[in-house]
Every structure is written in C-alpha cells, then in structure tokens.
DNA sequence: GTAGGGTTAG
C-alpha cells in the first residue's frame, strides 16, 4: 500500500502548481430581501403553518422528501427565519430521539446554508436524548460542505474525535477530501488520502471519483489520467460518473483526447453513457463553438433513449441563436415546452428576437403564444 | 449517510 502512496505522490508532484480555483462563496445565509412582494410572503407563511400542522402526524414526519422540498423552497426565497421556525419546532416530537430524524434536520440546515444552526442542533442531540454516532458526525461534516463552510469541515474533522468519542470512517474521509478539493487544496486532499490508508481504510470508488472530478474540472487532465491508472491498478473499476468527469475534462485545456475515443472506450467496457454524459459533450462542443458536433451528440442522446432536460436545452438553444441557426433553436423551444422544461424567459426571448430579425414573424409570434400559454411557466413574454 | 451538470414547483 505504501507504493500506492509514493505513486500518488508522484502524480501530484509532477503536476503544475494549481491555479487554485475556489468557488465563490455564495452568501446564502444573507439577509432576506426586505422588498418582498406580499402575496409571495403570505403564500410562504401559509405553507409554513400548513407544514407545521402536518408534522403533528407521525406518519407525515417520515416524509423526508416533503421536508426537503419545503425547506428548499423557503431557502430559495431566503426565508431563513421560517426555516428555523419549521425545523426548531420539530424538537417537541419524540421523533427527535431517532438519530435519523435529527440527522435529517441537520442536513436541511446545511443545504439551506445555515451551518451555525446545524452545528447547534448537533450539539443539542445529547440533551434531546438522541444518540450521536459517526453517522451524525458525517451528517454534520456534509452540512458544512453543503453550506460551503469548507474550513469548518476541516476544523470539525480534526477536533471532534478528540472531544466526542467518534472515530472518522470512510465516509468522513471522503467528505473531507471533497472539501479540500473545493478549496483547491489538492495537496491536503492527498494527505487525507494517505491518512485514511494509514488508518486502515481503503479509498473507494467514491474517493477516486471525488478526486478525479476535481482534477479534471480544474484542467489537471494529466494528473487525472495518472490517478485513473492508479485506481485501475488497485482494481477499482470506473463507472459512468468517473467517465463523465473525464468527458468534462477533455474540453478544459488541451487534453488531447477525442470525445469519440472516450465514448467508444465506455462502450467497450459496457458502460452506457447517460444524460449527464451527453450533456457534458454538448456543453463542451457548444463552449468551443462547434455547434455541429454538439448537435451530433444531441442526436446520439435521443438515439440512446435519454430524455433531454433543462441542461440540454439551456445549453443548445443559446448556442443555436449565436450560430444564427434560428430554425433549430425554434424547434428545440417547441420540444422544451412540450416536455414542460422550466427554461428561463431570457432563453425564449433570445429566440423570439432572433426570429424577428430574420423576418420569421410567424414563428416568432407562435413561440410567444406557446410560451404564454404554457401552464408550467410562470412568466409572460412581451 | 459520502462522488456528476447550470437545477426544482402548486
């Protein structure tokens, strides 16, 4: 196993110094907008009250996805005090003694960018008579990651095992490695990789996928390829997500690898490209101004029974507009509306304007009409 | 419970 370490070290030491690309911190927990329109505010208040009422039913409290959807909606509207209201009120139910239930609340706080609240709830678990295990520890780590408090992930990971009697497991390491990757600290990610091996944990496919995704995304294609080889040396087989990371990577910098080569390699190994694979190719070629090749892969996507989604349309339609292919853009719009895809108004607007410039007034007004009568879209054009 | 793309409502 130590040979793995030295080989991995070699992968990183050969690498060009990282242009540390850290995602901008989204200030999710910022102050909510004061100029909120009353009707929306009232609607959300009603939602909160209805939700809290429903929670009285123990069966309702098992519905994980409704919790998630409700909280996500409040978070999108930046109604953080409503989120607090909803989640804190859960403490009065005996469900809170079930670790999985408390964990859910912690992760909802994390997804809402409310890490302080997540942490507080974790601290309160003992007094709420809820047992804490390595699982809740990992949920707290993930909550910090979701809230983009990357430094907190590291801090908690290093301090907690000392204070609370939990030992980090494979999941914990994977989350910390992810966090270092988000920070652009590949060397630290690497030392975590070593440390987990030292503690008798084998890096898993997820560990590799996490690292590979970060390397390819940051234009470190060669380092990615070396790590890939090493992974296969450990008899860990790549899956479709590993390949998708690589597909995204071939468009960043001069990777020197063709999309067709990767796709045929996947086919040889019996790994079916999925929607994310095709979207990666479409995005890659659109970004490079090669609409023709992007459309080829759009065709492949359909041939292979994938359903184009928001990402597909939102990539292809503007690219068609830029290339002056208004008829294709128009047809894609029709399809997107038919499929009830939630495209932004600006995407349609662009096509309408382009059609008008090309004196295709019939199509332009037809598109306006269709958008305005689409029940799934909550805006009107013109 | 950990890994993907630009994402999510009544």
């Amino acid at each position: 196993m130590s040979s793995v370490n030295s080989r991995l070290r070699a992968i990183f030491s050969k690498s060009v110094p990282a242009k540390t690309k850290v995602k901008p911190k989204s200030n999710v927990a910022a102050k909510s907008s004061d100029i909120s329109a009353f009707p929306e505010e009232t609607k959300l208040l009603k939602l909160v009250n209805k939700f809290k009422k429903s929670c009285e039913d123990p069966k309702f409290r098992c519905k994980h996805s409704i919790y998630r959807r409700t909280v996500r909606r409040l978070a999108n509207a930046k109604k953080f005090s409503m989120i607090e209201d909803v989640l804190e009120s859960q403490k009065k139910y005996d469900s809170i003694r079930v670790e999985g239930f408390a964990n859910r609340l912690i992760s909802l706080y994390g997804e809402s960018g409310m890490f302080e609240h997540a942490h507080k709830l974790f601290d309160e678990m003992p007094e709420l008579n809820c047992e804490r295990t390595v699982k809740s520890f990992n949920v707290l780590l993930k909550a910090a990651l979701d809230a983009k408090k990357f430094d907190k992930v590291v801090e908690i990971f290093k301090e907690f095992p000392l204070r609370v009697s939990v030992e980090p497991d494979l999941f914990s390491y994977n989350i910390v490695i992810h966090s270092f990757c988000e920070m652009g600290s590949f060397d630290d990610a690497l030392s975590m990789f070593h440390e987990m091996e030292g503690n008798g944990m084998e890096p898993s496919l997820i560990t590799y996928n996490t690292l590979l995704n970060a390397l390819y995304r940051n234009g470190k294609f060669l380092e990615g390829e070396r790590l890939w080889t090493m992974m296969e040396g450990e008899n860990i087989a790549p899956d479709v997500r590993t390949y998708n990371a690589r597909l995204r990577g071939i468009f960043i910098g001069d990777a020197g690898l063709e999309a067709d080569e990767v796709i045929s390699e996947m086919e040889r190994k019996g790994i079916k490209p999925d929607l994310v694979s095709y979207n990666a190719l479409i995005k890659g070629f659109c970004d490079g101004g090669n609409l023709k090749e992007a459309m080829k892969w759009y065709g492949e996507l359909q041939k292979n029974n994938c359903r184009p989604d928001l990402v597909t349309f939102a990539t292809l339609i503007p690219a068609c507009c830029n290339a002056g292919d208004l008829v294709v853009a128009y047809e894609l719009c029709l399809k997107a509306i038919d499929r009830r895809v939630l495209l932004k108004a600006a995407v349609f607007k662009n096509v309408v304007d382009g059609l008008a410039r090309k004196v295709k007034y019939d199509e332009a007004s037809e598109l306006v009409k269709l958008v305005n009568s689409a029940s799934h879209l909550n805006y009107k054009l013109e």
Side-chain angles (χ1 to χ4, degrees), chain A residues 16-222:
Chain A
V16 194
K19 261 190 280 169
T20 30
K21 190 175 135 197
V22 181
K23 276 194 194 161
K25 279 187 184 172
S26 74
N27 201 0
V28 196
K31 179 166 157 279
S32 60
S33 61
D34 297 326
I35 40 169
S36 50
F38 283 117
E40 181 63 13
E41 176 91 24
T42 325
K43 264 205 293 200
L44 292 175
L45 264 174
K46 263 194 201 156
L47 174 73
V48 167
N49 289 331
K50 202 177 123 201
F51 184 88
K52 284 167 72 181
K53 183 85 186 143
S54 309
C55 289
E56 290 167 13
D57 179 359
K59 282 208 292 285
F60 182 85
R61 297 201 294 271
C62 297
K63 305 207 183 263
H64 195 139
S65 61
I66 300 182
Y67 273 65
R68 183 141 277 135
R69 229 172 39 217
T70 306
V71 170
R72 202 176 285 168
R73 201 176 149 201
L74 294 172
N76 283 335
K78 304 198 188 311
K79 300 296 179 199
F80 301 107
S81 56
M82 291 191 195
I83 295 175
E84 183 177 16
D85 184 12
V86 161
L87 296 184
E88 293 300 308
S89 73
Q90 304 297 316
K91 288 181 189 168
K92 62 174 174 283
Y93 301 112
D94 58 358
S95 308
I96 196 70
R97 292 198 304 242
V98 179
E99 193 194 357
F101 187 80
N103 284 347
R104 183 205 298 171
L105 305 181
I106 292 172
S107 70
L108 289 173
Y109 272 135
E111 287 172 20
S112 308
M114 300 168 74
F115 176 67
E116 295 305 322
H117 288 76
H119 201 320
K120 189 170 144 268
L121 185 52
F122 179 84
D123 286 340
E124 289 168 348
M125 284 171 75
E127 60 203 71
L128 292 165
N129 290 315
C130 184
E131 195 199 1
R132 284 190 303 204
T133 67
V134 65
K135 208 163 170 174
S136 40
F137 174 69
N138 290 338
V139 167
L140 181 65
L141 287 178
K142 178 67 162 60
L145 182 67
D146 286 340
K148 304 196 189 303
K149 308 282 186 213
F150 306 127
D151 48 338
K152 288 284 175 196
V153 178
V154 178
E155 192 185 306
I156 294 168
F157 181 81
K158 294 199 167 145
E159 286 177 4
F160 261 72
L162 307 173
R163 288 192 280 156
V164 185
S165 60
V166 280
E167 284 303 317
D169 63 5
L170 175 63
F171 292 75
S172 327
Y173 276 101
N174 286 343
I175 297 167
V176 174
I177 287 172
H178 186 163
S179 194
F180 277 127
C181 286
E182 289 292 331
M183 290 189 277
S185 314
F186 295 107
D187 290 340
D188 291 316
L190 166 65
S191 46
M192 280 298 140
F193 192 100
H194 294 319
E195 192 182 306
M196 70 192 285
E197 289 187 313
N199 290 344
M201 275 166 268
E202 293 285 338
S204 63
L205 177 61
I206 291 180
T207 316
Y208 283 101
N209 279 353
T210 304
L211 281 160
L212 286 169
N213 189 45
L215 290 172
Y216 288 131
R217 202 180 48 207
N218 286 283
K220 296 169 168 298
F221 193 79
L222 277 180

